[in-house]
Amino acid sequence: MRRFLRGVVTLALAAAAVLPAAAPAHADDGYTALFDGTQASLSKWRQAGPGGFTLGSDGTLSSFGGMGLLWYPLSTFSNYSLRVDWMMPGDDNGGVFIGFPDPNGDPWAPVSAGHEIQIDASDADPTRTTGSVYSFQAPDAALRAANLHPPGQWNTYDIQVHGQHVEVSLNGVKINDYMSTRNIANGYIGVQNDGDAAHVFYRNIRIKADGTTPAPADLARGRPVTVSSTDDPGRPGGAAVDGSSATRWSSAYSDPQWIAVDLGAAYPLSRVRLNWETAYGRAYQIQTSPDGSAWSTVYSTTTGDGGVDDIALSGNGRYVRVYGTQRGTQWGYSLWDLNVYGTSNLALGRPVTVSSVESGNVLVGANAVDGNAATRWGSLYADPQWIAVDLGATRTVNRVRLNWEAAYGKAYQIQTSNDGTTWTTVGSTTTGDGGIDDLGVTGSGRYVRVYATQRGTQWGYSLWELEVYGG
């Protein structure tokens, strides 16, 4: 089994002598930024293989070393438009990869399983030049020549993938149209660092999915972890959820042992991925809990064989535990990665606007989407009142969960909007009774609003949490 080799992604100043001043990166309507020039967005990516990228003060990625691949592990994508700005300072080399499975640390795996949209203007093979589907189909040379910006200037790829159909546009003009025979309909995306002599810059990586939903994010990443034991202080439980497959948790050499992660809120769960080190679990259970005390088993096996266990399951809980009862070796249990997938709260941490805030300006709207059920939004004591959240892009919405404080809404509507001005009602009630309202709805929009018209008490409206689910 291949193991993940952690490359280097650093924050530093790009050399002005190499990289000219970049034009401002731009946002596109309906697109979601995967890399927006910030360290926070870059930290979500992984480096497979040697070399890496330096993040410049102007928000650009500058390659060094290789051959490696910087890839986005939080979602696979299908039926999408991927836009990437790129620039070569001279006769250099790079590429954008699409439609590949988890490379497990091997930067060559996507070459065999996905496709590279090449960046190299001087290769003698036309199927390996800028705009080509690498080694498969050359671009229209005349269209490329007419639309390619010279070295030192930025270019933009728009790569459309629908099933196995790949269309490549360069600076707004389609230069390649290819029907693949590979299984690329759903996969990961990434950008290549080809080597020290093949320098390339990237910025403003954004995507728009149409017709399907990206795979959910890893709910366990960076969350608090507790374990039954460790065999070394350098291998704590948190190493299994830090996003690096080069660090690991390792237990004492006895049975039973366990590792549990607090997701921060209860989620419907669909999948757990275990990336075992040599010390694996032969018999273990995957369990969920609402409180970290009472556990329900949602999966179990007695025939584990190590490697990667990618397990589809159904359950619900705030806590997820891997409970091992029989080791597969004389050592303990050791995990490079514990990944948990489910339905993410689309409203978490998103911008909020409200009709009012209760006197004192403490119970602000952002409290309702901060993931903390001990903070709340509270309105003035009048009707109507509303709270609206900006999801950042148009999303399908199939569930809204309202955790009311004592001041609840008796009559209210759930509404969606594409522009924050024109609203469509997708759910309503006139018999609300407070507590938790977990509502199934059908709709889509960038904005979701709770529009309340009748209070259930003499106070205003107050929400501990407003959660929105969908795709």
Side-chain angles (χ1 to χ4, degrees), residues 343-364:
T343 306
S344 299
N345 175 13
L346 303 176
L348 186 64
R350 298 299 309 169
V352 167
T353 55
V354 295
S355 54
S356 67
V357 175
E358 187 178 335
S359 179
N361 203 34
V362 175
L363 306 179
V364 296

Side-chain angles (χ1 to χ4, degrees), residues 25-349:
H26 61 279
D28 296 321
D29 288 343
Y31 283 76
T32 299
L34 302 182
F35 169 70
D36 62 7
T38 65
Q39 182 66 44
S41 66
L42 180 57
S43 66
K44 298 177 182 177
W45 292 65
R46 289 187 186 178
Q47 178 73 23
F53 289 87
T54 298
L55 176 60
S57 59
D58 59 356
T60 62
L61 293 174
S62 172
S63 70
F64 65 87
M67 184 197 102
L69 184 74
L70 182 68
W71 64 289
Y72 187 78
L74 300 187
S75 296
T76 58
F77 297 96
S78 58
N79 294 338
Y80 58 88
S81 165
L82 173 65
R83 292 183 179 175
V84 181
D85 297 347
W86 57 269
M87 192 272 288
M88 294 187 297
D91 184 10
D92 296 288
N93 185 285
V96 180
F97 276 82
I98 57 171
F100 58 90
D102 187 333
N104 288 310
D106 180 4
W108 291 99
V111 177
S112 302
H115 282 305
E116 179 186 8
I117 310 305
Q118 178 73 340
I119 300 171
D120 185 349
S122 63
D123 198 293
D125 184 343
T127 70
R128 297 186 176 190
T129 58
T130 295
S132 65
V133 180
Y134 185 78
S135 291
F136 287 87
Q137 181 165 293
D140 184 305
L143 287 177
R144 182 189 64 194
N147 293 280
L148 178 65
H149 298 160
Q153 295 185 20
W154 287 96
N155 293 273
T156 298
Y157 271 156
D158 186 339
I159 304 166
Q160 304 270 345
V161 179
H162 293 88
Q164 293 171 285
H165 186 199
V166 181
E167 299 169 272
V168 180
S169 292
L170 175 66
N171 298 320
V173 176
K174 186 163 75 172
I175 62 171
N176 208 336
D177 193 315
Y178 176 69
M179 184 61 70
S180 178
T181 58
R182 291 183 169 180
N183 184 21
I184 62 164
N186 188 294
Y188 294 101
I189 64 97
V191 293
Q192 183 190 68
N193 56 297
D194 195 72
D196 280 330
H199 206 44
V200 67
F201 297 92
Y202 302 101
R203 69 172 190 190
N204 198 25
I205 303 174
R206 64 269 194 205
I207 199 162
K208 179 172 69 174
D210 52 275
T212 59
T213 302
D218 178 9
L219 301 174
R221 185 163 181 182
R223 297 300 308 170
V225 167
T226 55
V227 295
S228 54
S229 66
T230 58
D231 72 339
D232 187 298
R235 294 189 282 267
V241 298
D242 63 359
S244 170
S245 291
T247 61
R248 62 186 173 98
W249 163 66
S250 190
S251 80
Y253 301 175
S254 62
D255 292 307
Q257 301 290 338
W258 53 264
I259 178 172
V261 56
D262 177 1
L263 306 180
Y267 293 98
L269 305 177
S270 60
R271 178 176 154 232
V272 170
R273 178 181 178 272
L274 306 176
N275 183 5
W276 295 102
E277 195 255 353
T278 304
Y280 67 92
R282 180 172 300 282
Y284 63 88
Q285 302 168 17
I286 296 176
Q287 303 172 325
T288 63
S289 172
D291 56 10
S293 297
W295 297 93
S296 299
T297 297
V298 294
Y299 172 85
S300 66
T301 184
T302 58
T303 58
D305 58 359
V308 175
D309 291 342
D310 205 330
I311 301 156
L313 50 79
S314 179
N316 190 292
R318 171 173 173 168
Y319 299 84
V320 175
R321 182 168 72 172
V322 180
Y323 189 84
T325 56
Q326 183 185 350
R327 290 164 290 148
T329 69
Q330 69 269 38
W331 302 297
Y333 298 82
S334 188
L335 284 167
W336 296 107
D337 297 294
L338 164 57
N339 311 119
V340 179
Y341 300 92
T343 306
S344 299
N345 175 13
L346 303 176
L348 186 64

Side-chain angles (χ1 to χ4, degrees), residues 355-356 377 379-387 450-453 460-461:
S355 54
S356 67
W377 164 64
S379 79
L380 294 177
Y381 300 177
D383 292 311
Q385 301 290 338
W386 53 264
I387 179 171
V450 181
Y451 188 84
T453 55
Y461 299 86

Side-chain angles (χ1 to χ4, degrees), residues 399-443:
R399 176 180 168 224
V400 173
R401 184 178 183 271
L402 306 176
N403 184 359
W404 293 103
E405 194 253 355
Y408 67 92
K410 183 175 182 180
Y412 61 86
Q413 302 168 18
I414 305 296
Q415 302 174 325
T416 61
S417 172
N418 291 323
D419 57 11
T421 301
T422 303
W423 296 92
T424 300
T425 297
V426 296
S428 65
T429 184
T430 58
T431 58
D433 58 0
I436 293 178
D437 292 341
D438 205 330
L439 311 167
V441 299
T442 301

